[in-house]
Amino acid sequence: MKLATVFALFGSAAAFAPVQQQARSSSLSAWKDETVVGITAPMGFFDPIGLSKGKDDATMSHYRESELKHGRVAMAACLGWYLDAAGVHPAFNSELSNDPLEAARQLNPVGWLQFVLGCGAIEWLAEKIKERPGYKAGDLLGAAYWVDDSDEGWVDYQNKEINNGRLAMVAFMGIFVQDLFYGNYGDMIFKQ
C-alpha cells in the first residue's frame, strides 16, 4: 500500500506535462538571460536533470506556473500538517486523528467531496484568470498590472516566494515519507 502511494505520487507528475508542443519562439539561453525571477544564488538556473532543454517560452512559463502553484500548496500543506499534528483540527470538532494520514482515512465521503469541489473551484477560477490580457505566470491576483520586474523589491519578493516554495516541496515530501513509512508525524526531533 505504501509503495503504491509513492508510485502514484510520482506518476501524477505526468499530469503537468504539456499536451502539445508549440513552435519554438526562442532559445532556452535567452529565457535564462531575460528572466530575473527564480534564478537565485547560489544555484543560479537550477535544472539538474535537464527538463528545460529545448523548451520554448510558453512551456517554460507553464513550468514556472506549476512550480509556483506546487510551492504554494506545499507551504500550506506543511503548515496544515503541523497544525493537525499539534491537535488543532478546525473541522469535525477535532474528532479526527492528529496523524494527518490517519485523519485522511477517517474523513467521510462528504468531506472528501467538499475538498475536491473546493480545489476544483479554485482551479477553474485560476484558469479563468489566465485568460486576462497581460497575464504573467503565477500572478493570480494581478500584481503585474501595478509593478513589473524592474522593481528590485518586487523581484526580491518573488524570489523569496519561489525559494520558500521549493523548500516546502522538499520538506513536505520528507514529512509525508516520515509518516508513511515510520508512523512519525509532527515534531519528532525532541521525542525519545
Side-chain angles (χ1 to χ4, degrees):
M1 175 66 182
K2 294 176 184 177
L3 190 58
T5 305
V6 171
F7 282 130
L9 184 65
F10 287 115
S12 65
F16 300 102
V19 176
Q20 59 182 336
Q21 292 289 338
Q22 297 175 348
R24 304 202 188 295
S25 60
S26 67
S27 68
L28 177 62
S29 62
W31 193 84
K32 285 192 245 183
D33 293 339
E34 295 170 6
T35 303
V36 292
V37 177
I39 302 175
T40 59
M43 296 299 206
F45 184 77
F46 184 71
D47 185 18
I49 59 175
L51 293 175
S52 62
K53 284 188 178 174
K55 303 295 191 272
D56 62 345
D57 286 345
T59 303
M60 292 302 294
S61 181
H62 174 74
Y63 286 172
R64 176 55 48 87
E65 177 107 26
S66 296
E67 179 182 28
L68 283 166
K69 184 181 292 186
H70 285 86
R72 290 167 180 163
V73 168
M75 287 187 274
C78 287
L79 177 64
W81 191 282
Y82 282 114
L83 285 175
D84 189 18
V88 179
H89 202 294
F92 306 104
N93 296 325
S94 296
E95 294 174 359
L96 300 178
S97 171
N98 287 344
D99 180 352
L101 290 182
E102 185 60 32
R105 286 187 208 99
Q106 294 173 349
L107 188 60
N108 60 30
V110 173
W112 278 109
L113 179 65
Q114 181 182 8
F115 176 75
V116 169
L117 290 177
C119 291
I122 291 169
E123 286 295 320
W124 177 82
L125 183 61
E127 291 300 317
K128 291 297 178 190
I129 290 172
K130 287 181 192 180
E131 296 171 2
R132 298 187 306 219
Y135 175 75
K136 186 176 174 192
D139 184 21
L140 297 177
L141 299 178
Y145 289 113
W146 297 294
V147 65
D148 61 6
D149 288 344
S150 65
D151 180 3
E152 287 183 31
W154 177 241
V155 170
D156 185 52
Y157 174 80
Q158 290 178 358
N159 283 329
K160 287 176 183 176
E161 180 184 20
I162 288 174
N163 286 334
N164 287 331
R166 290 171 180 168
L167 176 63
M169 287 185 273
V170 173
F172 185 78
M173 285 304 299
I175 294 167
F176 179 76
V177 168
Q178 177 181 341
D179 190 3
L180 185 66
F181 290 116
Y182 305 109
N184 297 333
Y185 60 92
D187 185 10
M188 301 302 292
I189 295 174
F190 300 110
K191 293 186 180 179
Q192 301 295 338

